[in-house]
Amino acid sequence: MELSRRGFLKVTGVGATGLALSQLGIDLGPLQAYAASMKIEGAKEVISICPFCSCGCNVLVHVKDGKIVNVEGDPDFPISEGGLCAKGASLMSLHTSPERLTKPLYRAPGSDKWEEKDWDWMMERIARRIKDQRDKDFKVKNAAGQMVNRVESIFHLGSSQVTNEEAAVLHQMVRALGMVHFDHQARICHSPSVPALAECFGRGAMTNHYNDIGNANAILIMGSNAAEHHPMSFKWCLEAKRKGAVVMHVDPKFSRTSARSNFHVPIRSGTDIAFMGGMVKYILENKKYFADYVVDYTNASFLVGEKYSFKDGMFAGFDAEKGKYDKSAWAFEKDEKGMVKRDTTLKHPRCVINVMKDHYDRYTLDRVSSVTGVSKEDLLKVYEIFTATGAPDKAGTILYALGWTQHSVGVQNIRLSGLIQQLLGNIGIAGGGINAMRGEPNVQGTTDHALLYGYLPGYHSTPTADFQNLSDYLKAYTPTTADPMSVNWWGNRPKYVVSLLKSWYGDNATKDNDYGFNYVPKMDPGVDYSHMYIFDRMYKDEIKGGLCFGHNPCQSVPNSNKVRKAWDKLDWLVMGDVFHNETTDNWRRPGVDPKTVKTEVFLLPSAYRAEKDGTISNSGRWQMWHYKAVEPLGNSRDMGTMFVEMMNRVRGLYAKEGGAYPDPIIKADYPEKFEAESITKRINGFFTQDTEIKGKLYKKGQLVPGFPLLMDDGSTTSMNWLYTGCFTEDGGNLSKRRDLTQTPMQAKIGLFPGFAWAWPMNRRILYNRASVDKNGVPFNPDKVVIEWKDGKWIGDIADGAYPPMSMEGGKYPFIMTTEGHSQLFGPGRADGPFPEHYEPAETPLTVNPFSGQMHNPVMKIIKSDMDQLAKNGDPRFPIVLTTYSLVEHWCSGSETRNGPALLEAEPQQYVEMSHELAKEKGIKNGEVVIIESLRGKTEAVAMVTVRIRPFNIMSKTTHLIGMPYCFGWTKPKCGDTTNRVTVSIGDPNTSIPEYKACLVNVYKADKVTEL
Ligand code: SF4
């Protein structure tokens, strides 16, 4: 075993850091090391995790006399190797900030002040509020007379700040109470990643992991400013560059990522599909694709059914009355046995690859250039460099973030990157894949645990009223295939759903009562219960109260003038957070008389990261344990404790008083006390009876060793099948592992299989059986992920333990898709089987040169008196606004704006604009300006810069401006949120709002009188 720094401490039994840092191999100069060792001498050292981006940097927290005295990067953490960005480096000041919420605070209806209350008083009243509202509004049946068992007038929003364990008990509580208005930050940051990547490959997660970026030969960063927003991911881009890779940054503005890339290509926000569609055309026309991979592993050879067509921007099957597509028009052609028909010669005109070629034929260099504003030379430069990775021994990877997701075509932006990577054979290999760089610290984990209305934990659709019993539901959502070589892993769904229900309802979930299926609230089919709709219904007085934890929607949700008014209409509100923010204090925002706001507010002080233990999952699916270093500050508590107490208080009231449909609450197998590690075990799952599998006996109460052993007969539990295998009888809590040992083969690509644990089954690179040929021989002998040797796979955990395709019992490599192939043609999304360029909902153009269809025909449009949209090419609002984050602040900034150093570095709201636009508008650098849209106005300091240039779009100069989205009115006292001007329009698949492109105008502040 390789002795890591942590391992050394363990072996030598050194619990306190009495050793000089230099002795432990930290790369500090002698003087710095001496100073640091003085500060931390005698301190206890505890491993925690940065609570900001999804790199999940491990940190060492030094504690003396019960207080945090130092926080620094963990040199054993393979991704950061001890580094921290500005935010991570500020952790100590944030944990010890005098601005922290440390006492429960109560704001009475109409009051202009907070009052301190004790926990008991708060919890008792909160439980009463929840129960009374639920009893008043509970619906057993919907308008169609179907059983639904739900309450619509209460919501839950947030939080990706919670641990996996907190998320698991939260989800269980929310469903037991019957809530359907249930959503969290993933909706507004990365919700398109799941349906896009799942449609391509079968799972909705980042395919590779952060260290693996260093194995790439070409890196395309698009829709991301990785150097500033996921700094430790960029470390591995630079590592690849050092080894000869070309790093390309395609983004509307020049940033630090551009500065350290090989080159930057500016692009008009909202035109990524045009840019990448041109690349698909280039690949197909110039035969740059990896032919064997495409034929054997993708659905390129599948025959598309005759009903399919694409005309003038519209796919077949559009129902104008319903405003949606009938997707049956996109089905594949099948033979009499139900097998999809294929032509592996790729000659049939209805082969996916030929249909695709026809589709992208319109994406000429001229047309793409005129729409995106990218010169033809730059287009060709990117296309040539990236498509050179279509060779078997080359790898190209793509990094994206909110620059792709936050569009009315967010899902299809990501889908198109999946098409490119399939054509080039870049999936499953080292240095390849698609890096969905998630936003919040545990947004991967909280998405897995589904703090989202439409999923149950583990990516099972929430039942709608169409399913009145479990078997109908499972039948509808369990795919089948006629192809014996397809694994079709989702065919196991019944085992995971039944195990989930068993974990939620224990002995009260029996075969006779469908394992408690009807305790789970049912949605109405076709109804959207996500963020924008929650606020719209709140605005229309249909929602009365709710819970909001670790979330700042009055700052971070688009069209915030409407959101804030909607928030005013609530009767009661429970919030948990670390600091005050624009949402906790909405009732006293500028321009509002608190007397007019009726909301009763309960504000619960939350423990911060180093004050609690549990796991988070970073974007690379690494489930990592963090330890409690100190007690929660003041009277704050971890959110898991809050959820469990809240639920148990409500449960107590139902047990005493009865009320509306108490069964889901009373009969829940819910913990009496929140204890993180016991929940990790519940997430993993247990056997509920003595069970013999393949001659091995598993006793009742034993942990299930992996999800292949979960059952659909009630003999197992698991709160999330993806995590089954994370806690074993033999190995214990695998998320705590710190072993850096690797075989030479693993070390060559930096796999680190002994560090923490990764779902599924500790697999580090998804779809890795596509990194070998049909005989199990790696395509790239220099960067082997897995290899078939002596009758078994070595290297990473193979994605399906089956033999290679050519051998007996061999299976296709994409085990999570129904037909075993990755999907170039994806028949399951709301807006088409191929990505198509449509203009953003607000566009400076009056014509879409790709078709007669200007906008995504099925995008979600919210309608109210506060939801105006500018018309195409509206002369009043000629400028495109895009939004972004900063390295110093995180998301809404509600935490980082409390860090003195962070605030000093980035102290105020600003707007970046080109010299040309500034001149046109008579604006000078540093002047205060107003940015205005049809939704409202906001104020910012002008930053006149060469980082943003005017675009030549369809022979016309088009200006773009950019604003950070991390500021708000509470602090610092200059500037408010950019979302006062953004638009409530959503992608049709996930309803993520279009933050990244809307129309505005800008002028000097002295020309306006009020905001
Ligand atoms: S914000 Fe991200 S990159 Fe920065 S220290 Fe935290 S986890 Fe690491």
PDB file of all heavy atoms in Angstrom, residues 901-915:
ATOM      1  N   ALA A 901     -12.433  38.780   2.504  1.00  0.00           N
ATOM      2  CA  ALA A 901     -11.427  38.794   1.429  1.00  0.00           C
ATOM      3  C   ALA A 901     -12.101  38.650   0.069  1.00  0.00           C
ATOM      4  O   ALA A 901     -11.708  39.293  -0.916  1.00  0.00           O
ATOM      5  CB  ALA A 901     -10.428  37.655   1.655  1.00  0.00           C
ATOM      6  N   LEU A 902     -13.125  37.834   0.019  1.00  0.00           N
ATOM      7  CA  LEU A 902     -13.829  37.617  -1.246  1.00  0.00           C
ATOM      8  C   LEU A 902     -14.545  38.886  -1.684  1.00  0.00           C
ATOM      9  O   LEU A 902     -14.542  39.257  -2.860  1.00  0.00           O
ATOM     10  CB  LEU A 902     -14.823  36.461  -1.094  1.00  0.00           C
ATOM     11  CG  LEU A 902     -14.188  35.107  -0.753  1.00  0.00           C
ATOM     12  CD1 LEU A 902     -15.253  34.073  -0.427  1.00  0.00           C
ATOM     13  CD2 LEU A 902     -13.316  34.625  -1.908  1.00  0.00           C
ATOM     14  N   LEU A 903     -15.126  39.544  -0.704  1.00  0.00           N
ATOM     15  CA  LEU A 903     -15.860  40.769  -1.012  1.00  0.00           C
ATOM     16  C   LEU A 903     -14.909  41.898  -1.404  1.00  0.00           C
ATOM     17  O   LEU A 903     -15.224  42.744  -2.242  1.00  0.00           O
ATOM     18  CB  LEU A 903     -16.699  41.173   0.204  1.00  0.00           C
ATOM     19  CG  LEU A 903     -17.939  41.983  -0.105  1.00  0.00           C
ATOM     20  CD1 LEU A 903     -18.806  41.325  -1.157  1.00  0.00           C
ATOM     21  CD2 LEU A 903     -18.752  42.171   1.162  1.00  0.00           C
ATOM     22  N   GLU A 904     -13.758  41.892  -0.802  1.00  0.00           N
ATOM     23  CA  GLU A 904     -12.774  42.920  -1.165  1.00  0.00           C
ATOM     24  C   GLU A 904     -12.327  42.718  -2.620  1.00  0.00           C
ATOM     25  O   GLU A 904     -12.176  43.676  -3.374  1.00  0.00           O
ATOM     26  CB  GLU A 904     -11.569  42.826  -0.228  1.00  0.00           C
ATOM     27  CG  GLU A 904     -10.606  43.984  -0.411  1.00  0.00           C
ATOM     28  CD  GLU A 904      -9.415  43.872   0.529  1.00  0.00           C
ATOM     29  OE1 GLU A 904      -9.536  43.213   1.583  1.00  0.00           O
ATOM     30  OE2 GLU A 904      -8.361  44.436   0.187  1.00  0.00           O
ATOM     31  N   ALA A 905     -12.171  41.461  -3.010  1.00  0.00           N
ATOM     32  CA  ALA A 905     -11.719  41.175  -4.375  1.00  0.00           C
ATOM     33  C   ALA A 905     -12.798  41.472  -5.408  1.00  0.00           C
ATOM     34  O   ALA A 905     -12.528  41.953  -6.500  1.00  0.00           O
ATOM     35  CB  ALA A 905     -11.284  39.715  -4.478  1.00  0.00           C
ATOM     36  N   GLU A 906     -14.042  41.158  -5.081  1.00  0.00           N
ATOM     37  CA  GLU A 906     -15.159  41.402  -6.011  1.00  0.00           C
ATOM     38  C   GLU A 906     -16.273  42.063  -5.231  1.00  0.00           C
ATOM     39  O   GLU A 906     -17.170  41.414  -4.720  1.00  0.00           O
ATOM     40  CB  GLU A 906     -15.642  40.076  -6.628  1.00  0.00           C
ATOM     41  CG  GLU A 906     -14.763  39.534  -7.726  1.00  0.00           C
ATOM     42  CD  GLU A 906     -14.773  40.362  -9.014  1.00  0.00           C
ATOM     43  OE1 GLU A 906     -15.516  41.377  -9.090  1.00  0.00           O
ATOM     44  OE2 GLU A 906     -14.025  40.007  -9.929  1.00  0.00           O
ATOM     45  N   PRO A 907     -16.238  43.394  -5.122  1.00  0.00           N
ATOM     46  CA  PRO A 907     -17.121  44.060  -4.163  1.00  0.00           C
ATOM     47  C   PRO A 907     -18.485  44.495  -4.681  1.00  0.00           C
ATOM     48  O   PRO A 907     -19.341  44.882  -3.882  1.00  0.00           O
ATOM     49  CB  PRO A 907     -16.303  45.297  -3.778  1.00  0.00           C
ATOM     50  CG  PRO A 907     -15.472  45.595  -4.987  1.00  0.00           C
ATOM     51  CD  PRO A 907     -15.235  44.290  -5.691  1.00  0.00           C
ATOM     52  N   GLN A 908     -18.715  44.491  -6.002  1.00  0.00           N
ATOM     53  CA  GLN A 908     -19.980  45.090  -6.439  1.00  0.00           C
ATOM     54  C   GLN A 908     -20.436  44.583  -7.789  1.00  0.00           C
ATOM     55  O   GLN A 908     -19.662  44.021  -8.552  1.00  0.00           O
ATOM     56  CB  GLN A 908     -19.820  46.613  -6.514  1.00  0.00           C
ATOM     57  CG  GLN A 908     -18.792  47.032  -7.532  1.00  0.00           C
ATOM     58  CD  GLN A 908     -18.396  48.489  -7.388  1.00  0.00           C
ATOM     59  OE1 GLN A 908     -18.759  49.154  -6.431  1.00  0.00           O
ATOM     60  NE2 GLN A 908     -17.652  48.983  -8.346  1.00  0.00           N
ATOM     61  N   GLN A 909     -21.714  44.820  -8.031  1.00  0.00           N
ATOM     62  CA  GLN A 909     -22.311  44.429  -9.294  1.00  0.00           C
ATOM     63  C   GLN A 909     -21.702  45.256 -10.432  1.00  0.00           C
ATOM     64  O   GLN A 909     -21.502  46.456 -10.294  1.00  0.00           O
ATOM     65  CB  GLN A 909     -23.829  44.690  -9.228  1.00  0.00           C
ATOM     66  CG  GLN A 909     -24.606  44.321 -10.458  1.00  0.00           C
ATOM     67  CD  GLN A 909     -24.576  42.834 -10.784  1.00  0.00           C
ATOM     68  OE1 GLN A 909     -23.587  42.319 -11.318  1.00  0.00           O
ATOM     69  NE2 GLN A 909     -25.652  42.142 -10.463  1.00  0.00           N
ATOM     70  N   TYR A 910     -21.393  44.615 -11.531  1.00  0.00           N
ATOM     71  CA  TYR A 910     -20.891  45.349 -12.697  1.00  0.00           C
ATOM     72  C   TYR A 910     -21.421  44.745 -13.973  1.00  0.00           C
ATOM     73  O   TYR A 910     -21.998  43.645 -13.971  1.00  0.00           O
ATOM     74  CB  TYR A 910     -19.359  45.401 -12.708  1.00  0.00           C
ATOM     75  CG  TYR A 910     -18.658  44.072 -12.807  1.00  0.00           C
ATOM     76  CD1 TYR A 910     -18.433  43.478 -14.040  1.00  0.00           C
ATOM     77  CD2 TYR A 910     -18.187  43.427 -11.659  1.00  0.00           C
ATOM     78  CE1 TYR A 910     -17.770  42.263 -14.127  1.00  0.00           C
ATOM     79  CE2 TYR A 910     -17.529  42.214 -11.742  1.00  0.00           C
ATOM     80  CZ  TYR A 910     -17.325  41.634 -12.988  1.00  0.00           C
ATOM     81  OH  TYR A 910     -16.685  40.435 -13.071  1.00  0.00           O
ATOM     82  N   VAL A 911     -21.260  45.515 -15.031  1.00  0.00           N
ATOM     83  CA  VAL A 911     -21.671  45.029 -16.351  1.00  0.00           C
ATOM     84  C   VAL A 911     -20.506  45.221 -17.313  1.00  0.00           C
ATOM     85  O   VAL A 911     -19.942  46.308 -17.401  1.00  0.00           O
ATOM     86  CB  VAL A 911     -22.964  45.737 -16.832  1.00  0.00           C
ATOM     87  CG1 VAL A 911     -22.852  47.258 -16.795  1.00  0.00           C
ATOM     88  CG2 VAL A 911     -23.342  45.280 -18.242  1.00  0.00           C
ATOM     89  N   GLU A 912     -20.140  44.144 -17.964  1.00  0.00           N
ATOM     90  CA  GLU A 912     -19.040  44.225 -18.936  1.00  0.00           C
ATOM     91  C   GLU A 912     -19.611  44.585 -20.293  1.00  0.00           C
ATOM     92  O   GLU A 912     -20.604  43.994 -20.739  1.00  0.00           O
ATOM     93  CB  GLU A 912     -18.323  42.880 -19.049  1.00  0.00           C
ATOM     94  CG  GLU A 912     -17.509  42.527 -17.835  1.00  0.00           C
ATOM     95  CD  GLU A 912     -16.602  41.321 -18.075  1.00  0.00           C
ATOM     96  OE1 GLU A 912     -15.697  41.410 -18.926  1.00  0.00           O
ATOM     97  OE2 GLU A 912     -16.813  40.301 -17.405  1.00  0.00           O
ATOM     98  N   MET A 913     -18.957  45.541 -20.961  1.00  0.00           N
ATOM     99  CA  MET A 913     -19.389  45.920 -22.315  1.00  0.00           C
ATOM    100  C   MET A 913     -18.177  46.315 -23.147  1.00  0.00           C
ATOM    101  O   MET A 913     -17.138  46.698 -22.598  1.00  0.00           O
ATOM    102  CB  MET A 913     -20.417  47.053 -22.262  1.00  0.00           C
ATOM    103  CG  MET A 913     -19.879  48.361 -21.732  1.00  0.00           C
ATOM    104  SD  MET A 913     -21.141  49.639 -21.668  1.00  0.00           S
ATOM    105  CE  MET A 913     -22.096  49.114 -20.265  1.00  0.00           C
ATOM    106  N   SER A 914     -18.346  46.228 -24.438  1.00  0.00           N
ATOM    107  CA  SER A 914     -17.233  46.549 -25.330  1.00  0.00           C
ATOM    108  C   SER A 914     -17.015  48.063 -25.392  1.00  0.00           C
ATOM    109  O   SER A 914     -17.910  48.852 -25.075  1.00  0.00           O
ATOM    110  CB  SER A 914     -17.532  46.026 -26.734  1.00  0.00           C
ATOM    111  OG  SER A 914     -18.622  46.756 -27.282  1.00  0.00           O
ATOM    112  N   HIS A 915     -15.823  48.458 -25.838  1.00  0.00           N
ATOM    113  CA  HIS A 915     -15.539  49.885 -26.042  1.00  0.00           C
ATOM    114  C   HIS A 915     -16.496  50.465 -27.082  1.00  0.00           C
ATOM    115  O   HIS A 915     -16.938  51.605 -26.964  1.00  0.00           O
ATOM    116  CB  HIS A 915     -14.086  50.050 -26.514  1.00  0.00           C
ATOM    117  CG  HIS A 915     -13.106  49.857 -25.399  1.00  0.00           C
ATOM    118  ND1 HIS A 915     -12.773  50.860 -24.517  1.00  0.00           N
ATOM    119  CD2 HIS A 915     -12.406  48.770 -25.009  1.00  0.00           C
ATOM    120  CE1 HIS A 915     -11.897  50.402 -23.625  1.00  0.00           C
ATOM    121  NE2 HIS A 915     -11.664  49.121 -23.910  1.00  0.00           N
TER     122      HIS A 915
END
